Amino acid sequence: MHNILLAYDGSDNAKRALQHLIDFAKEAPKPLKVQVFNAQHEPVMYGEYVTSAMVEELSASLMKKSRGLLEEAGAQLAAAGIFYETHTAIGNVAEQVNEAVKRLGCDTVVMGTRGLGSFTGMLLGSVANRVIHEVSVPVLLVK
């Protein structure tokens, strides 16, 4: 694990994944490079009166939220002396994680999981489950 993509959404589980990564970095044999990544689902709009300005405004709002989450994670990584970069995307989360892994040359994905259990996860679908099947690198799930 050297160039790690941290999928961060600001949830308690993502915060635990961030802390796990910080703890791991303290004992890692060489310095880590962390790519902090947040993907927002594309806005779904219904109706006949949707303008491009409305879509742009929603997208800008999502990106602002994403940047705020990344700043939160980045502050903790900086305090721990860990090199990091931040990245945002809008779209299907699992697909965006996969694209980021390829584009950034990451060798591992670290992310939190809600731990819904097999039955609930089967009904709702799990972002973590989809990421595991999308990416070609190891995925560390932190509960």
Side-chain angles (χ1 to χ4, degrees):
M1 290 175 43
H2 175 67
N3 188 18
I4 301 168
L5 185 131
L6 172 65
Y8 189 80
D9 65 2
S11 67
D12 289 342
N13 299 309
K15 290 175 182 177
R16 282 191 291 276
L18 171 61
Q19 187 59 52
H20 179 79
L21 191 55
I22 290 169
D23 294 343
F24 173 77
K26 292 175 186 174
E27 299 181 23
K30 57 183 177 178
L32 302 180
K33 182 177 179 182
V34 178
Q35 309 293 338
V36 186
F37 182 78
N38 177 270
Q40 297 288 320
H41 289 284
E42 286 183 291
V44 177
M45 303 185 79
Y46 300 98
E48 297 177 17
Y49 303 104
V50 177
T51 66
S52 61
M54 293 169 78
V55 173
E56 287 176 19
E57 187 177 326
L58 272 173
S59 294
S61 176
L62 290 171
M63 294 307 286
K64 182 179 178 183
K65 176 183 177 183
S66 186
R67 285 190 296 276
L69 291 169
L70 295 176
E71 287 174 13
E72 173 185 298
Q76 291 184 43
L77 290 166
I82 300 170
F83 176 80
Y84 72 95
E85 295 175 344
T86 60
H87 309 275
T88 62
I90 294 180
N92 177 286
V93 176
E95 290 174 7
Q96 294 300 320
V97 168
N98 186 37
E99 289 300 316
V101 164
K102 292 176 185 175
R103 185 178 71 252
L104 302 169
C106 297
D107 56 26
T108 309
V109 174
V110 174
M111 63 187 296
T113 180
R114 290 188 293 166
L116 294 174
S118 59
F119 183 69
T120 308
M122 180 179 66
L123 289 177
L124 299 176
S126 164
V127 172
N129 188 38
R130 290 191 300 263
V131 167
I132 289 168
H133 289 91
E134 285 280 335
V135 302
S136 61
V137 298
V139 178
L140 174 63
L141 299 176
V142 179
K143 210 170 176 181

